[in-house]
Structure formats: C-alpha cells, structure tokens
C-alpha cells in the first residue's frame, strides 16, 4: 500500500430517495461527499466497490437511473481549479446519461466550482446557429432527437465559499463551464510509480560530473514519481502494443499530479465518444485503451513522499533559489549519495519522453502530447526551447532540426504560464503612455476574445537605457536566456547557449520554431500580476500585465522573428506562422477547464474548422484551428488570421467550413 491512511466518506451504497427525487428536477446541487481536505491521501468513495479519487478531488455519485434514483452504481471524481480551494457541488448524474452522447454533452459526471450551482441551457455557451438545431444528424448518420441542452454553472448568491485557509472566495462571473469529472479509480489505480533516471541523463548536459560513462550504464540517480492510467508502464520487460497516443500532463505550483491525471483521463473519455472522428476516413476515435496518460510528480522535500523499496524519489526544492524550481529546469536535491549527482527536471522529462519513443516498449505509438498549465506551462515552454532529446523529429520547418525518422509526433501545449523565456532581448513597449491609455474599445477584457495589446501602438524592441536600468534582470534566465547566477541551470547553459552565436539566436529560434507547439490562454485569465523581478510596474521583465496578454505578446514576437529569418526556409512566405495559439472562451486560470474545453481538444487534433485551401491562395501551411466538434451541414464563413510584421498587426482572410 502506498499510504497509511485514506480520506473516508460519510456515505456508502445506501438509499438516497430524497436526494434523487430532487435530482429529477434537474436543478439539484448535490452536497460534496467528501468534506475533508487532504492533499496527501486518496479519497475513498466506496469500500465495497473499491473506488477512490485522487488527492485534492471529491467523489460524486452516479445513480442507476431516474426510475431507480436510490441506487448508486459508481462514482466520478471532481476537481477544483487549485489545491488551495475546495471542490464545489456535484451535478446530478445517472448511468443512462452516458448512453446519450450529443455534440454538447458527451456523458460522464460533472460539477461546479465552489460558490456555483448546477444549471442548464445557457445561451452564453451555445452558438446561435446550434441553438436553432433541435434535431441533428450525428457523425454516424443517426438522427439525434434530443434537444440541444448545454450544462453549465451559475453563481449561487446564497453561498459564501471559503478557501482551505478559511478566506472568502470572491467569484467574479455569473456563469462558468462545468468541470468534467473523471471516472473513479481502484486503489491500485492511484499508486505512485517511479521512472528510473540513469546517471547518463545527467552526463548528457553536465560535463563537470565526476561520474564516468561506464558508471552510467547500470547506475541510476533515483526515480521520477508519476501517476498513470495504465499503471507502472516503465518496467523493462513491458511492451504496450495498444497504445497509439500518450499524453503527459505537467502539474503547476501545487504539485497536484493526481488532479492532472483526473482532468486528462476525463478528456480522453470525452474524445473517445467524439462523433467528429466518425466523419474522417483516415482517422478513428482514440479509445481509452489506446491512450496512455502520465502525470509526473516533481516532488519537493515538503511533500510526503510515498515509501519505496527501490530507488528514492527525486525531489526539487520548492523555495530556493526561487519558488517552484522544477519549472525552470533546476537541479534536483541529492538523493544519490553514491555519485553525489543531481538531475535537471528537464533532463528527467527527456528520460520520460525517450522511454515513450522507444519502439521496443511502444511499437505503435503515433503521437505524444506534453501539456502543462501555469507553472507547468512555464515548464513545458522552457523545456521545449532547450531540450536536445532525439525524440523531437518532424516539425513545421524543413531544416536539420526536423529529421525524418520513425518516431512518434511530439506536440507541446503551453497553457496559461505566468512568464516565458524570450529568445532575445526585445519586449513590446507602447509608443507612448498616452497611446496605450487611449486604446479602449469598451469591451471587458474578460469577454474580449481578440487581442488585449493594441499592437498598432506597440513596438517590439530592446528596452531603452532607462528602462533597462529599471529592470536589469529582464532578460536573465528564466525570463530571457542571459546567464543568471541566482538561478543556476546547467541544462540550459549546455543545451541553449551553444546554439547562440555571438548574440545571433537564429539557429536556436529555427529549432524551436520547428517544433509543434500550441499556446492556450484562458479568456478570463486577465488578472494583473505582481512582478517577481524588478519591482512594481515592471510586469516580470516587461512581459505584460496578465497571463493572457503575456501569451499574446510572446506569440507575436515569434511571428516577427520568423519574418526576420524568412521563417527558416519554410514554404508559405508571408502567410507562414510560427506555432499556434488559441483563447479558451469563458475560462480563467483553471487547468481542468482549459484541458476539457473545445480548444483543449487540440491535444488530440480535434478541430471545428476545416480549412478551405482555395480561400488561402492554396497555402499548404494553413493551420487548423481547434474548436467545438459539432457535425452536420457545413456553413462557409470568412475568418481573419492575424500575424505580425514590423511590430504591426496585419490580417489575411481565410475561408473555413464550420460543421453544425
């Protein structure tokens, strides 16, 4: 057993007549079955059924049917947006609901954030054209006679939620999307496993080590902890022939790897029922048995590491020299007393990635998606920029950084990071203070799904002498790539600095641009952040006021740099684009809602928009835009694709087909 104790629930398989009767109205807010908060123990849902939920989630019952509302047949697991906040209410869920898979409701339990209640049929979350379709033809040619009904959460004006420290929670929005609850687990399904990290992984970038290559063949530094929906997949003698897709979810500063396992397995369950795949001749739906979900746990010494009879779990300091050191590739603490060696968190990720790329263990693996949110988003952006792993094959650009090889395709999804590692010393500055202040279109930033920075009034440039004096650290690692003695990162120095030739970052940029990277930003992730460097008003080295705006500015800088180097020889000319970016409607800083959103399904290549190449002047590099996977009759519309040149915004119209 992994833990000595469990969180137990006050309710088991018993009669819920009053609860179920209220559920028949469709308006019931079920109370949480687990009121205790314990980040270090799995939550016990039902002893008889041996069903558990990950730490920092709660159990939601699934009832037999509306005709048998007193029988519980299972549980799902509800998360919250942060380990600092309790989970909200479970929404009524019946087993028969899972058999009705529509384009807006794919089955499975749902729930709301603390301070909200379950509701249905919000116009905010249903496109107007879809609301007119009361009977549809699904992707299998079957007529769906169920009326379109969107489930969402509405603020509960009588609730007074508090966080886990007893402080009031201030909910800002009248409505929110629901969380998709993941299916509960058996006890063994929530075991923490370990991936052995060989000494050679540290030697690959650390030339100062006293260990030799001969030592590294059989010696290991320790093991990287992880959760998985397939158990311990890292055993040397294990081969998984069913796995075609692997998803690696990197947690944020809360190190709540279990909730990332839950959020991503819920996405897998939804996508497995997605009718969009049924319309594609060369693509079938990824079934849960085909998808490996891995949630690595970058432990800190503060965590209660589970006991292990083999290698010790590797840990990274959570406070020194700066908080959450795993996010920038810091070296681990030193569990390996024999070699006195450490490993970068990025080096550990390379080992995990290369394990999946090993055809001996995963002969049919086609794609790997590495996704991170918040501090995890910082992690995956900096790792994708600096990794030398041989697994990065293919890519958008035809150059030596994109070799042809029999490798799974690797996609990196960067969601809501607080900051980015810029590739040069330029940031966006307003032409004048007045120019920035004058830009007010009257639209609330939380409801604006366009750009927040008025790029026609901003310029990408190095800071002036006065601006640099006000923030000398603005381009030091982790915010840029200049060496930072206070944030030691030998992995970065070895893998990145040698690609920069006397200040010219073209080679590094082209390697980064060749990788398949998608940036996701919550539409409501617009809170003005304090500055971790340089003091008040410097926006973490002039990166922008909020996470969403920082994302759009970094993405814009990539497009400008791409034009300067002629997109590294990529075909497409003026309409070429570096990477991809999407704003997730009605979502703030929330990993569960980001991953489970229509835009989040880009993890699996699900797209609402099918690009009409003729409307793009036969541009073979036109990008698919992720969206809600409705199916039915096509409606051709014109969209405006934004790219940047000379610090100004330019537009190219493309014709797309929406399937309703």
């Amino acid at each position: 057993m992994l833990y000595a104790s469990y969180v137990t629930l006050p309710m088991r398989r018993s009669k819920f007549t009053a609860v179920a009767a209220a559920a028949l109205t469709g308006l019931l807010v079920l109370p949480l079955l687990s009121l205790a908060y314990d980040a270090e123990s799995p939550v016990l849902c039902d002893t008889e059924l041996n069903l558990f939920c990950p730490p920092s989630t709660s159990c939601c019952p699934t009832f037999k049917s509306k005709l048998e509302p007193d029988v519980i047949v299972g549980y799902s697991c509800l998360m919250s947006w942060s380990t600092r906040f309790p989970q909200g209410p479970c929404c009524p869920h019946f087993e028969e609901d899972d058999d009705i898979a529509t384009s807006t409701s794919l089955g499975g339990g749902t729930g709301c954030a603390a301070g909200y209640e379950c509701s249905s049929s919000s116009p905010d979350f249903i496109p107007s054209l879809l609301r007119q379709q009361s009977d549809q033809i699904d992707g299998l040619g079957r007529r769906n006679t169920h009326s379109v009904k969107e489930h969402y959460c509405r603020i509960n004006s009588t609730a007074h939620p508090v966080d886990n420290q007893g402080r009031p929670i201030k909910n800002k929005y009248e409505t929110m999307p629901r969380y998709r609850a993941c299916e509960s687990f058996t006890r063994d399904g929530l075991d923490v496993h370990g991936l052995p990290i060989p000494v050679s992984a540290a030697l690959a970038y650390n030339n100062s080590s006293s260990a030799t290559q001969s030592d590294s063949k059989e010696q290991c530094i320790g093991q990287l902890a992880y959760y998985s929906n397939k158990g311990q997949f890292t055993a040397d003698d294990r081969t998984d022939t069913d796995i075609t897709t692997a998803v690696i979810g990197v947690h944020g500063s809360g190190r709540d790897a279990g909730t990332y396992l839950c959020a991503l397995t819920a996405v897998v369950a939804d996508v497995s029922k997605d009718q969009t795949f049924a319309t594609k001749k060369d693509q079938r739906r990824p079934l849960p048995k085909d998808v490996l979900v891995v949630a690595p746990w970058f432990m800190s010494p503060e965590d209660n590491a589970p006991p292990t009879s083999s290698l010790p779990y590797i840990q990274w300091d959570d406070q020194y020299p700066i908080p959450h050191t795993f996010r920038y590739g810091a070296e681990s603490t030193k569990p390996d007393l024999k070699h006195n060696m450490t490993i970068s968190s990025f080096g550990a990720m390379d080992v995990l990635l290369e394990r999946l790329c090993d055809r001996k263990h995963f002969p049919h693996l086609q794609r790997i998606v590495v996704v991170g949110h918040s501090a995890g988003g910082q992690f995956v952006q900096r790792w994708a920029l600096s990794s030398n792993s041989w697994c990065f094959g293919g890519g958008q650009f035809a150059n030596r950084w994109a070799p042809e090889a029999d490798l799974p395709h690797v996609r990196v999804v960067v969601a809501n990071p607080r900051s980015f590692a810029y590739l040069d010393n330029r940031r966006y500055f307003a032409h004048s203070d007045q120019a920035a202040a004058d830009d007010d279109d009257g639209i609330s930033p939380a409801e604006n799904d366009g750009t927040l920075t008025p790029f026609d009034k901003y310029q990408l440039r190095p800071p002036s002498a006065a601006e640099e004096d006000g923030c000398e650290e603005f381009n030091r690692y982790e915010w840029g790539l200049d060496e930072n003695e206070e944030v030691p990162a030998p992995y970065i120095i070895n893998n990145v600095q040698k690609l920069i030739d006397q200040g010219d970052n073209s080679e590094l940029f082209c390697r980064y641009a060749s990788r398949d990277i998608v940036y996701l930003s919550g539409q409501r992730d617009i809170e003005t952040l304090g500055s971790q460097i340089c003091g008040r008003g410097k926006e973490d080295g002039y990166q922008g006021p909020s996470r969403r705006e920082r994302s759009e500015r970094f993405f814009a800088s990539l497009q400008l740099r791409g034009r300067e180097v002629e997109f590294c020889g990529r075909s497409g000319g003026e309409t070429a684009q570096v990477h991809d970016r999407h704003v997730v409607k009605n979502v703030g800083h929330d990993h569960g809602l980001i991953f489970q959103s229509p835009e989040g399904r880009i993890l699996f290549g699900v797209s609402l928009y099918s690009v009409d190449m003729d409307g793009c002047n036969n541009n073979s590099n036109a990008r698919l835009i992720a969206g809600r996977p409705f199916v039915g009759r096509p409606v051709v519309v014109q969209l405006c694709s934004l790219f940047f040149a000379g610090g100004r915004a330019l537009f190219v119209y493309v014709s797309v087909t929406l399937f309703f």
Side-chain angles (χ1 to χ4, degrees):
M1 286 296 184
L2 180 59
Y3 295 97
S5 62
Y6 304 127
V7 175
T8 58
L9 299 173
M11 306 170 73
R12 292 182 58 249
R13 298 187 74 186
S14 57
K15 302 292 184 180
F16 284 88
T17 305
V19 172
L24 291 175
T25 68
L27 299 176
L28 169 69
V29 177
L30 287 173
L32 286 180
L33 294 182
S34 174
L35 300 179
Y37 173 78
D38 188 338
E40 297 178 347
S41 298
V43 182
L44 175 61
C45 300
D46 191 296
T47 302
E48 182 179 344
L49 295 177
N50 185 32
L51 295 179
F52 292 78
C53 284
S56 302
T57 68
S58 57
C59 301
C60 294
T62 298
F63 299 101
K64 178 66 175 177
S65 69
K66 294 182 177 66
L67 299 178
E68 299 179 84
D70 58 343
V71 179
I72 292 180
V73 295
Y75 292 87
S76 55
C77 307
L78 179 65
M79 67 205 76
S80 67
W81 76 272
S82 169
T83 55
R84 295 182 289 109
F85 288 75
Q87 296 76 43
C90 305
C91 299
H93 180 226
F94 300 92
E95 187 177 37
E96 61 193 16
D97 294 339
D98 293 338
D99 297 327
I100 304 173
T102 70
S103 57
T104 59
S105 179
L106 298 175
T110 60
C112 295
Y116 287 83
E117 59 187 359
C118 308
S119 191
S120 300
S121 298
S122 166
D124 295 335
F125 302 118
I126 307 177
S128 58
L129 283 176
L130 178 63
R131 290 200 301 271
Q132 300 170 12
Q133 310 298 314
S134 60
D135 69 11
Q136 304 170 0
I137 303 297
D138 69 16
L140 296 177
R142 302 172 302 191
R143 183 168 297 278
N144 172 21
T145 58
H146 300 279
S147 60
V148 175
K149 187 175 184 180
E150 184 76 356
H151 303 294
Y152 69 108
C153 300
R154 183 175 295 280
I155 198 166
N156 184 349
S157 59
T158 64
H160 303 285
V162 295
D163 66 16
N164 294 318
Q165 284 74 46
R167 297 170 296 192
I169 298 174
K170 298 179 180 179
N171 291 319
K172 300 178 182 179
Y173 302 104
E174 183 67 22
T175 60
M176 284 184 61
R178 288 192 191 180
Y179 291 99
R180 173 70 68 206
C182 68
E183 185 177 349
S184 57
F185 300 80
T186 64
R187 180 61 194 85
D188 291 345
L190 288 175
D191 280 348
V192 175
H193 306 287
L195 170 67
I197 304 297
V199 170
S200 58
L203 293 177
Y205 66 88
N206 192 343
N207 296 324
S208 62
S209 171
S210 60
T212 66
Q213 289 290 347
S214 60
D215 292 331
S216 70
K217 291 182 179 179
E218 297 181 356
Q219 300 298 328
C220 291
I221 298 172
Q223 56 183 340
L224 173 67
Y226 69 88
Y227 290 94
S228 166
N229 67 332
K230 303 295 183 183
Q232 185 170 4
F233 67 89
T234 53
D236 286 339
D237 60 350
R238 178 166 173 175
T239 299
D240 290 276
T241 58
D242 288 338
I243 302 301
T244 59
T245 299
V247 181
I248 303 172
V250 181
H251 59 70
S253 59
R255 303 187 302 283
D256 50 334
T259 70
Y260 279 68
L261 175 71
C262 180
L264 291 169
T265 54
V267 177
V268 171
D270 270 3
V271 171
S272 70
K273 302 173 184 178
D274 193 332
Q275 301 293 345
T276 301
F277 286 92
T279 66
K280 301 177 181 179
K281 295 181 180 179
D282 59 344
Q283 191 175 20
R284 68 178 179 86
R285 303 176 205 164
L287 302 177
K289 72 179 184 66
D290 304 330
V291 182
L292 169 67
V293 177
V294 186
W297 183 6
F298 293 94
M299 288 184 179
S300 81
E302 289 78 16
D303 292 327
N304 183 17
T308 175
S309 59
S310 55
L311 295 167
Y313 288 109
I314 302 174
Q315 300 175 338
W316 287 265
D317 200 295
D318 195 50
Q319 299 296 327
Y320 180 83
I322 61 175
H324 324 310
T325 62
F326 76 93
R327 64 189 162 100
Y328 73 80
E331 294 296 298
S332 62
T333 57
K334 296 182 178 181
D336 177 23
L337 300 179
K338 178 178 180 180
H339 296 295
N340 196 33
M341 292 190 68
T342 60
I343 183 72
S344 164
S345 56
F346 294 170
M349 177 59 78
D350 286 341
V351 175
L352 175 56
L353 183 72
E354 290 166 11
R355 169 71 186 204
L356 297 175
C357 286
D358 189 340
R359 290 300 185 194
K360 180 178 71 173
H361 299 293
F362 296 94
H364 300 139
L365 186 63
Q366 300 171 10
R367 65 191 67 85
I368 301 171
V369 182
V370 184
V371 56
H373 180 267
S374 193
Q378 295 183 54
F379 178 105
V380 298
Q381 188 265 326
R382 296 181 178 104
W383 168 73
L385 173 63
S386 58
S387 176
N388 284 345
S389 174
W390 51 265
C391 281
F392 281 102
Q396 300 176 26
F397 295 85
N399 57 42
R400 70 188 187 89
W401 296 117
E404 294 295 331
D406 179 25
L407 294 171
H409 179 81
V410 178
R411 167 170 286 177
V412 178
V413 180
V414 181
N416 287 344
R418 181 189 178 101
S419 63
F420 293 84
Y422 271 73
L423 279 72
D424 61 30
N425 68 342
R426 294 179 294 178
R427 305 292 185 270
Y428 276 99
F429 293 91
H431 294 314
S432 68
D433 292 340
Q434 186 60 41
D438 287 344
D439 188 78
D440 183 5
D441 56 12
I443 301 175
S444 166
E447 307 305 325
N448 181 354
D449 57 3
T451 57
L452 300 181
T453 298
F455 285 103
D456 59 335
K457 299 177 181 179
Y458 276 67
Q459 181 182 9
L460 184 67
R461 61 169 174 80
S464 66
E467 290 162 340
E468 187 165 358
D469 286 344
C471 189
E472 295 180 352
E473 324 78 308
F474 85 98
N475 203 46
R476 295 176 188 168
Y477 189 72
E478 59 181 325
W479 299 273
L481 293 178
D482 292 347
E483 189 171 351
N484 189 347
E485 294 181 357
E486 297 182 359
V487 183
Y491 182 99
I492 298 296
I493 293 174
N494 182 79
N495 290 4
V496 170
Q497 295 298 333
K498 68 182 181 181
L499 295 180
I500 300 177
D501 182 15
Q502 297 181 349
D504 182 2
N505 73 349
S506 300
E507 190 170 13
L508 175 64
F509 173 83
C510 287
R511 186 180 78 166
Y512 185 59
S514 75
R515 294 176 174 176
D516 182 1
I517 300 177
V518 180
Y519 307 91
L520 296 178
S521 295
Q523 183 186 30
R524 294 173 171 175
D525 200 352
I526 56 171
E527 178 186 0
T528 299
L529 304 172
S531 187
Q532 293 181 328
I533 57 172
C534 305
R536 186 176 180 181
K538 301 302 188 297
E539 299 177 342
D540 278 341
Y542 306 115
Q543 294 203 12
S546 66
R547 291 183 183 89
R548 179 178 156 194
E549 197 157 358
R550 292 178 185 187
S551 173
E552 71 183 32
R553 291 188 188 186
F554 178 74
F555 183 73
S557 74
L558 296 178
Q559 311 317 308
L560 179 56
R561 182 58 179 151
R563 293 178 61 80
E564 291 172 346
V565 296
E566 298 180 344
F567 290 96
C568 307
R570 174 191 176 191
S571 61
E574 293 292 313
T575 57
Q577 177 174 291
V578 179
H579 302 159
D580 210 349
R581 180 177 178 268
H582 306 287
V583 175
V584 180
K585 187 173 176 60
N586 297 318
V587 174
H589 195 68
D590 191 310
H591 68 281
L593 295 180
I594 285 282
F595 297 159
Q596 297 167 3
S597 69
E599 295 83 0
R601 293 187 191 179
I602 199 169
L603 295 173
F604 298 92
V606 179
S607 175
L608 167 62
Y609 303 116
S610 174
V611 177
D612 180 345
M613 296 304 180
D614 291 336
C616 297
N617 296 319
N618 293 314
N619 171 28
S620 62
N621 292 284
R623 304 304 304 275
L624 295 181
I625 305 173
R628 190 182 296 275
F630 300 128
V631 293
R633 61 181 180 84
V635 179
V636 178
V637 298
Q638 295 290 320
L639 291 185
C640 194
S641 179
L642 175 66
F643 70 96
F644 300 88
R648 297 178 64 86
L650 303 177
F651 297 90
V652 173
Y653 281 94
V654 296
S655 175
V656 300
T657 304
L658 281 69
F659 293 91
F660 289 96

